[in-house]
PDB file of all heavy atoms in Angstrom:
ATOM      1  N   VAL P  17     -48.515-139.905 108.959  1.00  0.00           N
ATOM      2  CA  VAL P  17     -49.590-140.409 108.106  1.00  0.00           C
ATOM      3  C   VAL P  17     -50.758-139.426 108.091  1.00  0.00           C
ATOM      4  O   VAL P  17     -51.276-139.058 107.103  1.00  0.00           O
ATOM      5  CB  VAL P  17     -50.064-141.758 108.576  1.00  0.00           C
ATOM      6  CG1 VAL P  17     -51.244-142.284 107.796  1.00  0.00           C
ATOM      7  CG2 VAL P  17     -48.977-142.794 108.578  1.00  0.00           C
ATOM      8  N   LEU P  18     -51.049-138.904 109.266  1.00  0.00           N
ATOM      9  CA  LEU P  18     -52.084-137.866 109.374  1.00  0.00           C
ATOM     10  C   LEU P  18     -51.746-136.690 108.504  1.00  0.00           C
ATOM     11  O   LEU P  18     -52.622-136.146 107.730  1.00  0.00           O
ATOM     12  CB  LEU P  18     -52.293-137.434 110.794  1.00  0.00           C
ATOM     13  CG  LEU P  18     -53.320-138.152 111.620  1.00  0.00           C
ATOM     14  CD1 LEU P  18     -53.418-137.595 112.981  1.00  0.00           C
ATOM     15  CD2 LEU P  18     -54.643-138.173 110.926  1.00  0.00           C
ATOM     16  N   PHE P  21     -52.279-137.192 104.789  1.00  0.00           N
ATOM     17  CA  PHE P  21     -53.708-137.222 104.312  1.00  0.00           C
ATOM     18  C   PHE P  21     -54.326-135.846 104.398  1.00  0.00           C
ATOM     19  O   PHE P  21     -55.325-135.575 103.704  1.00  0.00           O
ATOM     20  CB  PHE P  21     -54.516-138.292 105.110  1.00  0.00           C
ATOM     21  CG  PHE P  21     -54.368-139.647 104.527  1.00  0.00           C
ATOM     22  CD1 PHE P  21     -53.563-140.539 105.174  1.00  0.00           C
ATOM     23  CD2 PHE P  21     -54.976-139.977 103.360  1.00  0.00           C
ATOM     24  CE1 PHE P  21     -53.437-141.853 104.650  1.00  0.00           C
ATOM     25  CE2 PHE P  21     -54.805-141.249 102.789  1.00  0.00           C
ATOM     26  CZ  PHE P  21     -54.058-142.183 103.473  1.00  0.00           C
ATOM     27  N   LEU P  22     -53.843-135.095 105.372  1.00  0.00           N
ATOM     28  CA  LEU P  22     -54.505-133.770 105.648  1.00  0.00           C
ATOM     29  C   LEU P  22     -53.729-132.624 105.218  1.00  0.00           C
ATOM     30  O   LEU P  22     -53.986-131.497 105.609  1.00  0.00           O
ATOM     31  CB  LEU P  22     -54.851-133.729 107.133  1.00  0.00           C
ATOM     32  CG  LEU P  22     -55.789-134.859 107.672  1.00  0.00           C
ATOM     33  CD1 LEU P  22     -55.947-134.792 109.137  1.00  0.00           C
ATOM     34  CD2 LEU P  22     -57.131-134.706 106.964  1.00  0.00           C
ATOM     35  N   LYS P  68     -62.686-141.677 101.819  1.00  0.00           N
ATOM     36  CA  LYS P  68     -62.952-142.370 103.005  1.00  0.00           C
ATOM     37  C   LYS P  68     -61.799-142.229 104.005  1.00  0.00           C
ATOM     38  O   LYS P  68     -61.952-141.925 105.206  1.00  0.00           O
ATOM     39  CB  LYS P  68     -63.196-143.872 102.739  1.00  0.00           C
ATOM     40  CG  LYS P  68     -64.377-144.100 101.820  1.00  0.00           C
ATOM     41  CD  LYS P  68     -64.639-145.575 101.538  1.00  0.00           C
ATOM     42  CE  LYS P  68     -63.451-146.189 100.759  1.00  0.00           C
ATOM     43  NZ  LYS P  68     -63.304-145.720  99.382  1.00  0.00           N
ATOM     44  N   THR P  69     -60.564-142.489 103.517  1.00  0.00           N
ATOM     45  CA  THR P  69     -59.381-142.457 104.391  1.00  0.00           C
ATOM     46  C   THR P  69     -59.193-140.980 104.900  1.00  0.00           C
ATOM     47  O   THR P  69     -58.781-140.797 106.033  1.00  0.00           O
ATOM     48  CB  THR P  69     -58.168-142.999 103.628  1.00  0.00           C
ATOM     49  OG1 THR P  69     -58.462-144.308 103.170  1.00  0.00           O
ATOM     50  CG2 THR P  69     -56.962-143.092 104.590  1.00  0.00           C
ATOM     51  N   ALA P  70     -59.327-140.054 103.973  1.00  0.00           N
ATOM     52  CA  ALA P  70     -59.093-138.623 104.364  1.00  0.00           C
ATOM     53  C   ALA P  70     -60.049-138.239 105.481  1.00  0.00           C
ATOM     54  O   ALA P  70     -59.728-137.544 106.419  1.00  0.00           O
ATOM     55  CB  ALA P  70     -59.250-137.751 103.126  1.00  0.00           C
ATOM     56  N   LEU P  71     -61.293-138.644 105.379  1.00  0.00           N
ATOM     57  CA  LEU P  71     -62.291-138.361 106.453  1.00  0.00           C
ATOM     58  C   LEU P  71     -61.961-139.082 107.717  1.00  0.00           C
ATOM     59  O   LEU P  71     -62.077-138.515 108.833  1.00  0.00           O
ATOM     60  CB  LEU P  71     -63.706-138.715 105.945  1.00  0.00           C
ATOM     61  CG  LEU P  71     -64.190-137.762 104.898  1.00  0.00           C
ATOM     62  CD1 LEU P  71     -65.503-138.333 104.275  1.00  0.00           C
ATOM     63  CD2 LEU P  71     -64.545-136.364 105.474  1.00  0.00           C
ATOM     64  N   ALA P  72     -61.561-140.384 107.629  1.00  0.00           N
ATOM     65  CA  ALA P  72     -61.084-141.053 108.867  1.00  0.00           C
ATOM     66  C   ALA P  72     -59.978-140.340 109.522  1.00  0.00           C
ATOM     67  O   ALA P  72     -59.860-140.240 110.717  1.00  0.00           O
ATOM     68  CB  ALA P  72     -60.755-142.458 108.542  1.00  0.00           C
ATOM     69  N   ALA P  73     -59.052-139.898 108.691  1.00  0.00           N
ATOM     70  CA  ALA P  73     -57.871-139.120 109.236  1.00  0.00           C
ATOM     71  C   ALA P  73     -58.293-137.857 109.907  1.00  0.00           C
ATOM     72  O   ALA P  73     -57.796-137.513 110.996  1.00  0.00           O
ATOM     73  CB  ALA P  73     -56.844-138.835 108.129  1.00  0.00           C
ATOM     74  N   GLN P  74     -59.230-137.170 109.294  1.00  0.00           N
ATOM     75  CA  GLN P  74     -59.702-135.904 109.971  1.00  0.00           C
ATOM     76  C   GLN P  74     -60.402-136.171 111.204  1.00  0.00           C
ATOM     77  O   GLN P  74     -60.248-135.484 112.199  1.00  0.00           O
ATOM     78  CB  GLN P  74     -60.749-135.241 109.030  1.00  0.00           C
ATOM     79  CG  GLN P  74     -61.181-133.818 109.488  1.00  0.00           C
ATOM     80  CD  GLN P  74     -60.078-132.866 109.753  1.00  0.00           C
ATOM     81  OE1 GLN P  74     -59.331-132.549 108.816  1.00  0.00           O
ATOM     82  NE2 GLN P  74     -59.927-132.317 110.907  1.00  0.00           N
ATOM     83  N   ILE P  75     -61.218-137.292 111.279  1.00  0.00           N
ATOM     84  CA  ILE P  75     -61.905-137.595 112.534  1.00  0.00           C
ATOM     85  C   ILE P  75     -60.873-138.014 113.591  1.00  0.00           C
ATOM     86  O   ILE P  75     -60.955-137.627 114.781  1.00  0.00           O
ATOM     87  CB  ILE P  75     -62.873-138.773 112.295  1.00  0.00           C
ATOM     88  CG1 ILE P  75     -64.066-138.256 111.446  1.00  0.00           C
ATOM     89  CG2 ILE P  75     -63.461-139.326 113.630  1.00  0.00           C
ATOM     90  CD1 ILE P  75     -64.950-139.336 110.949  1.00  0.00           C
ATOM     91  N   ALA P  76     -59.797-138.758 113.177  1.00  0.00           N
ATOM     92  CA  ALA P  76     -58.692-139.105 114.135  1.00  0.00           C
ATOM     93  C   ALA P  76     -58.029-137.818 114.650  1.00  0.00           C
ATOM     94  O   ALA P  76     -57.759-137.704 115.839  1.00  0.00           O
ATOM     95  CB  ALA P  76     -57.673-139.988 113.472  1.00  0.00           C
ATOM     96  N   LYS P  77     -57.821-136.890 113.764  1.00  0.00           N
ATOM     97  CA  LYS P  77     -57.204-135.632 114.221  1.00  0.00           C
ATOM     98  C   LYS P  77     -58.070-134.886 115.186  1.00  0.00           C
ATOM     99  O   LYS P  77     -57.621-134.356 116.236  1.00  0.00           O
ATOM    100  CB  LYS P  77     -56.871-134.773 113.002  1.00  0.00           C
ATOM    101  CG  LYS P  77     -56.082-133.449 113.336  1.00  0.00           C
ATOM    102  CD  LYS P  77     -55.648-132.691 112.105  1.00  0.00           C
ATOM    103  CE  LYS P  77     -54.809-131.535 112.479  1.00  0.00           C
ATOM    104  NZ  LYS P  77     -54.461-130.793 111.260  1.00  0.00           N
ATOM    105  N   ASN P  78     -59.399-134.834 114.879  1.00  0.00           N
ATOM    106  CA  ASN P  78     -60.309-134.198 115.778  1.00  0.00           C
ATOM    107  C   ASN P  78     -60.309-134.864 117.207  1.00  0.00           C
ATOM    108  O   ASN P  78     -60.544-134.214 118.240  1.00  0.00           O
ATOM    109  CB  ASN P  78     -61.706-134.178 115.253  1.00  0.00           C
ATOM    110  CG  ASN P  78     -61.826-133.387 113.972  1.00  0.00           C
ATOM    111  OD1 ASN P  78     -61.025-132.518 113.737  1.00  0.00           O
ATOM    112  ND2 ASN P  78     -62.906-133.591 113.197  1.00  0.00           N
ATOM    113  N   PHE P  83     -53.908-142.346 114.725  1.00  0.00           N
ATOM    114  CA  PHE P  83     -54.476-142.853 113.465  1.00  0.00           C
ATOM    115  C   PHE P  83     -53.587-143.882 112.944  1.00  0.00           C
ATOM    116  O   PHE P  83     -52.363-143.733 112.766  1.00  0.00           O
ATOM    117  CB  PHE P  83     -54.504-141.621 112.471  1.00  0.00           C
ATOM    118  CG  PHE P  83     -55.040-142.091 111.116  1.00  0.00           C
ATOM    119  CD1 PHE P  83     -56.364-142.333 110.923  1.00  0.00           C
ATOM    120  CD2 PHE P  83     -54.170-142.109 110.026  1.00  0.00           C
ATOM    121  CE1 PHE P  83     -56.823-142.694 109.634  1.00  0.00           C
ATOM    122  CE2 PHE P  83     -54.600-142.418 108.757  1.00  0.00           C
ATOM    123  CZ  PHE P  83     -55.951-142.756 108.555  1.00  0.00           C
TER     124      PHE P  83
END
Side-chain angles (χ1 to χ4, degrees):
V17 176
L18 268 182
F21 278 104
L22 300 174
K68 302 179 295 293
T69 307
L71 287 167
Q74 183 62 55
I75 292 169
K77 186 174 184 182
N78 293 345
F83 178 72

